[in-house]
Amino acid sequence: MGAMSPTLAADEAWPAALIAAAEAPLTAGTDRYMRAAAHAVAAAALHELGEHRGGAAGARVLALAGGGHNGADTLLAAAALARRGCAVSAALATDHPLPGALHRARAAGVRIADSPREAVGGFLEAGGDLVLDGLTGIGASGGLRPRAAALIAPLLDRTAGSAAGARAGGRPFRVLAVDLPSGTGVDDGTLPGPVLPADRTVTFTCLKAALCLPPACRLAGRVEVVDLGLPVPQGPPIVVRPTRSRPALPSPGPEDHKYTRGVVGLWAGSESYPGAGLLAASGAARAGAGMVRLHAPRRVEDLVLAARPEVVPAPGRCQAAVLGPGTDPADAPRAVELRTVLSACLGEGAALRAGAPAVIDAGALPLLADLVARGGRCGPQHLLTPHAGEAAAVLSALAGAGRPDWDRTRVESDPGRAALRLSELTGATVLLKGSPTLIASPGRPLCSVPAGPGWAGTAGSGDVLAGILGALLAGAAVAWEEGDRAPGAHEVVPVAAAAVRLHSRAGRLASAQGGLSAPIVAMDIADAVPRAWAALLAGS
Ligand SMILES: NC(=O)C1=CN([C@@H]2O[C@H](COP(=O)(O)OP(=O)(O)OC[C@H]3O[C@@H](n4cnc5c(N)ncnc54)[C@H](O)[C@@H]3O)[C@@H](O)[C@H]2O)[C@@H](O)CC1
Ligand SMILES: Nc1ncnc2c1ncn2[C@@H]1O[C@H](COP(=O)(O)OP(=O)(O)O)[C@@H](O)[C@H]1O
């Protein structure tokens, strides 16, 4: 182990097996790291208790502990809290807790319950303040076993929502998860069984996939990654979550003009959904497109030009196409037009530069399966932007009749897998919308980008995102064209991630009202993009 090996990766997750293998040479035969982990958990617990009830003295704490090191961390944290004056009970889900940790907890005054289930009941009856969830950590597989599940069941009953859709908040106690909420799919973010939603998670060394991939990550609360001095695994992560790095946003200089900034060709809007044309055009214009060329029915053109006179309703060269926001799949001539442009982007026609970058959204997505079945293949510069229902429809269409099906529920319960599969089948970069939004590209780690507030999930919000994506892709494509080359996934994913971050931040800024969050409409998001741009550039 070199002296310079990193010991903290706050934006990246590796598989549990690699994390365990990287730690093993250092953790064997010492409890030093467990004590450091417990110290961090206790500090976070004290912070939660301070927020929840103004202090730790006399607070009622329930420690749920399993038989692994995660349970041992939790028992040691329980001991630290008992020493700070908390009334701490421990409910064990095992007959074999790590003996050293159990002994230290008992010695510090932690009550080890003879009947763990009664201890949980007693905590609830007494109006307990804080639960430490240390049932399982990265050593777990599958859903919680019955003994552990029985301990969280009464606590779940006091948590808003159904077991699968349960959310922290609105309950009389706080939950602090140790390393990850027990029962989550450690490496895939699925929910194989019940999980107690956490208000906060203290995790060690690096993120875990369960903390970045939905649906599990929505049950983690605020996530804090703590440096224990243990090495980060080597090799590529499985998930990256870009939140701190400054995104790659262009900054035009004196030599730039509208063509060097990138022209977006926009095929959006229809008689049925005219507003989508305006929202996508606004997203593109606000996100710095040098020019937006609109291809749309007359009604849409009129609407767009009345609000955005800078949009050009004439054909011409463009660096990136945005296809499908608000287009009507039932409009046959329009479908032919979209198919022609899409084929050109996939390298089969002359309407657009072969292999040109494209955002393939909404009404353009149903055209894809047929093109792929005829031998068409996307590249990483082709961005599919489905929501869960659209992803299910495209996956099913690609699988063909009579093959195992994806439906919306399956995509929502394992969106990481769905995005990767769609990317494998098409060769495209897949941006699966939702909170968080996932970006999958062949041969790359999944990228998980936090979405804006729930208010950003409003009609037309995705149209604005498609426009933003088009502008950033067109800007980047100027350099790719100059080099006469198709970009690699490693170049496209950061552009897509930057667009999602802009959209999320714009949604957050637009909905912020005096420290609280209020309803917004999609155009508010487009209007807030310049402020979001400045905030991201400033690194705030
Ligand atoms: N090794 C060390 O010194 C360190 C370990 N750390 C902690 O240790 C954890 C990993 O420890 P372990 O490898 O012991 O693994 P865990 O503590 O995650 O889990 C293994 C235990 O859980 C049980 N288990 C597995 N699947 C289960 C399920 N579905 N339902 C109920 N119980 C289940 C196993 O029988 C075993 O008792 C990390 O998550 C982290 O919290 C950290 O403290 C860093 C230092
Ligand atoms: N709960 C949520 N929190 C934050 N953003 C969300 C949420 N739900 C959806 N979004 C975002 O809102 C947008 C909705 O896009 P989409 O479903 O295509 O809607 P539309 O077709 O009406 O534009 C996406 O960017 C998505 O990530």
Side-chain angles (χ1 to χ4, degrees), residues 361 387 390 433-435 437 451-454 456-463 465 503:
D361 189 47
H387 55 58
E390 290 164 340
K433 288 184 282 197
S435 182
T437 289
T458 182
S461 171
D463 304 327
L465 175 64
H503 182 267

Side-chain angles (χ1 to χ4, degrees), residues 23 27 33-34 37 67-71 73 135-145 148 178-179 204 228 230:
E23 293 180 351
T27 53
Y33 299 104
M34 231 148 56
H69 289 99
N70 191 257
D73 292 347
L135 291 166
T136 59
I138 60 169
S141 57
L144 285 181
R145 293 178 197 146
V178 180
D179 216 11
F204 310 120
L228 298 180
L230 289 167

Side-chain angles (χ1 to χ4, degrees), residues 41 61-79 88-99 101-103 105 110-113 116-117 119-120 131-137 144-145 147-149 151-152 155 176-178 182 196:
V41 171
V61 176
L62 173 68
L64 304 176
H69 289 99
N70 191 257
D73 292 347
T74 305
L75 287 171
L76 293 183
V88 191
S89 301
L92 305 183
T94 172
D95 294 329
H96 308 285
L98 250 64
L102 185 68
H103 173 75
V110 174
R111 208 184 126 255
I112 311 295
R117 290 176 76 165
V120 176
V131 177
L132 299 182
D133 170 7
L135 291 166
T136 59
L144 285 181
R145 293 178 197 146
R147 213 165 144 184
L151 295 184
I152 67 164
L155 300 164
L176 172 59
V178 180
S182 302
L196 182 62

Side-chain angles (χ1 to χ4, degrees), residues 111-320:
R111 208 184 126 255
I112 311 295
D114 293 331
S115 163
R117 290 176 76 165
E118 277 173 27
V120 176
F123 171 84
L124 286 170
E125 266 165 42
D129 299 296
L130 177 71
V131 177
L132 299 182
D133 170 7
L135 291 166
T136 59
I138 60 169
S141 57
L144 285 181
R145 293 178 197 146
R147 213 165 144 184
L151 295 184
I152 67 164
L155 300 164
L156 266 177
D157 288 344
R158 302 286 175 95
T159 305
S162 62
R167 298 211 316 225
R171 41 179 195 199
F173 53 88
R174 299 263 176 120
V175 175
L176 172 59
V178 180
D179 216 11
L180 41 85
S182 302
T184 52
V186 180
D187 288 338
D188 63 12
T190 56
L191 297 176
V195 173
L196 182 62
D199 298 281
R200 178 172 181 153
T201 297
V202 173
T203 199
F204 310 120
T205 309
C206 61
L207 288 174
K208 316 295 174 300
L211 302 175
C212 341
L213 296 182
C217 70
R218 299 194 197 111
L219 304 184
R222 242 182 313 162
V223 175
E224 185 186 340
V225 189
V226 175
D227 186 347
L228 298 180
L230 289 167
V232 167
Q234 294 180 352
I238 42 171
V239 189
V240 297
R241 195 188 58 166
T243 53
R244 275 154 246 263
S245 55
R246 195 167 298 186
L249 297 173
S251 176
E255 67 288 356
D256 281 300
H257 49 74
K258 61 187 180 233
Y259 297 115
T260 60
R261 293 195 15 220
V263 178
V264 175
L266 177 61
W267 282 259
S270 59
E271 291 290 335
S272 324
Y273 310 104
L278 177 57
L279 291 164
S282 299
R286 282 291 183 211
M291 188 198 288
V292 180
R293 292 187 187 278
L294 177 67
H295 306 75
R298 185 60 195 262
R299 174 163 182 227
V300 178
E301 273 184 15
D302 291 346
L303 178 78
V304 173
L305 287 171
R308 296 240 79 93
E310 62 274 24
V311 170
V312 177
R317 266 198 72 200
C318 57
Q319 274 71 44

